[in-house]
Amino acid sequence: DDVDRAYFAVFDGHGGVDAANYSATHLHVNVGLHEEIVKNPGEALKCSFQKTDEMFLFRAKREKLRSGTTGVSALIVGNKLHIAWLGDSQVMLVQQGKAVTLMEPHKPERE
């Protein structure tokens, strides 16, 4: 279609790099192939995070991998910004020199 899209992501491995590398390799593919990418990009991000997690868990069990990752991704569709994150990764948007809160970070004490 004629809609401009851009995707950015950062992953922070915990207990090794396997989960972070796997996510960096597969999440954007799952997002791009998701059936809701055009109509509901936020849903596509959410479902793709879940699918990538399930895929890695299957591989981790098979290969006895013990790492995890946090992650944050930004999908720009036209003039709209969609953010998804997992764990304690955070996103900050600076607009005209001022920080704009986009999310409430995960903290152990937060329900």
Side-chain angles (χ1 to χ4, degrees), residues 7-46:
Y7 168 88
F8 306 89
V10 176
F11 302 95
D12 177 22
H14 290 242
V17 299
D18 296 317
N21 287 341
Y22 189 89
S23 297
T25 302
H26 292 89
L27 181 62
H28 68 284
V29 175
N30 289 334
V31 171
L33 293 175
H34 196 277
E35 62 188 18
E36 291 293 315
I37 187 66
V38 173
K39 292 180 183 173
N40 191 345
E43 183 67 17
L45 277 172
K46 178 181 176 182

Side-chain angles (χ1 to χ4, degrees), residues 42-58:
E43 183 67 17
L45 277 172
K46 178 181 176 182
C47 291
S48 296
F49 262 80
Q50 291 171 330
K51 180 177 181 177
T52 304
D53 184 50
E54 291 167 3
M55 291 166 56
F56 179 73
L57 288 173
F58 179 77

Side-chain angles (χ1 to χ4, degrees), residues 86-108:
L86 176 68
D88 61 359
S89 291
Q90 297 182 44
V91 169
M92 179 169 41
L93 174 68
V94 178
Q95 186 175 34
Q96 297 179 347
K98 298 193 189 239
V100 178
T101 301
L102 297 177
M103 57 185 281
E104 280 293 319
H106 294 277
K107 299 287 182 191

